Amino acid sequence: MAGPEDAATVAALGRRSFTETFGHLYKPEDLAAFLANHSEERWRQELADPAFAVRLVEAADEAIAYAKLGPPSLPFEPRGPSIELRQFYVLAPWHGSGLARELMTWVIGEAKARGADDLYLSVFIDNHRARRFYARYGFEYVGDYHFMVGSHADVDHVMRLPLSRAHAG
């Protein structure tokens, strides 16, 4: 698990992975406003907070992926004890390598270990690759959510995975 000493690494990876995947969709000022959320200080605070769990993956001394679990923050009414997959990023050169599957195994195991009955996430409606990935695990559509990137609102799908029937994709 990542700790406060990993804040600079995770912050840089978050900015890089978001820009790599979605940067072309936004005006520069909207992207810059969003990326400001990936500050080293903000990450240091979350990495020190036991309510969050972050798994950082490195290869050849380079950070290549991470997943972050935290308390529910999406606009939904949880059915019971719940946790949210706040971020799940794998750099493009590692897509299709099996790394995402390994990371999701950790996410589901950690969510269960923390006593959650349901795992929630939001995914951009036009991120078809991610939507297919989550569907393989049994995530169900709950509703729509407006994900803000600066002043630009994207439509995301909020999805829920009942952990009692979670399986390895």
Side-chain angles (χ1 to χ4, degrees):
M1 288 239 286
E5 68 280 3
D6 298 307
T9 300
V10 180
L13 178 58
R15 290 188 301 268
R16 177 180 170 192
S17 58
F18 188 86
T19 301
E20 174 183 274
T21 307
F22 304 111
H24 66 284
L25 299 174
Y26 306 108
K27 295 186 292 189
E29 59 271 20
D30 286 331
L31 181 60
F34 177 80
L35 294 177
N37 292 325
H38 283 279
S39 71
E40 185 176 336
E41 181 53 35
R42 183 168 180 182
W43 273 106
R44 187 174 286 100
Q45 290 171 359
E46 288 186 349
L47 290 167
D49 185 341
F52 291 89
V54 177
R55 169 98 186 270
L56 176 63
V57 180
E58 296 177 313
D61 294 325
E62 178 188 13
I64 59 169
Y66 74 92
K68 178 172 79 171
L69 288 167
S73 66
L74 293 166
F76 61 85
E77 196 62 41
R79 300 185 306 182
S82 300
I83 196 164
E84 184 179 321
L85 177 55
R86 300 257 186 116
Q87 292 163 342
F88 191 96
Y89 289 139
V90 176
L91 293 178
W94 296 90
H95 290 180
S97 70
L99 177 59
R101 185 176 54 250
E102 291 176 31
L103 203 50
M104 185 56 81
T105 297
W106 174 83
V107 164
I108 291 169
E110 184 68 19
K112 287 179 177 181
R114 289 173 173 256
D117 291 338
D118 290 312
L119 173 60
Y120 287 84
L121 60 80
S122 72
V123 60
F124 182 42
I125 61 168
D126 289 331
N127 189 343
H128 302 288
R129 180 186 187 97
R131 290 177 54 207
R132 284 190 307 271
F133 176 76
Y134 296 133
R136 284 197 307 265
Y137 287 89
F139 279 87
E140 311 165 329
Y141 173 79
V142 173
D144 289 340
Y145 162 68
H146 286 96
F147 182 84
M148 298 303 297
V149 178
S151 63
H152 179 91
D154 281 328
V155 177
D156 275 18
H157 284 175
V158 174
M159 302 183 81
R160 175 183 59 231
L161 174 64
L163 291 169
S164 62
R165 59 187 184 110
H167 58 87

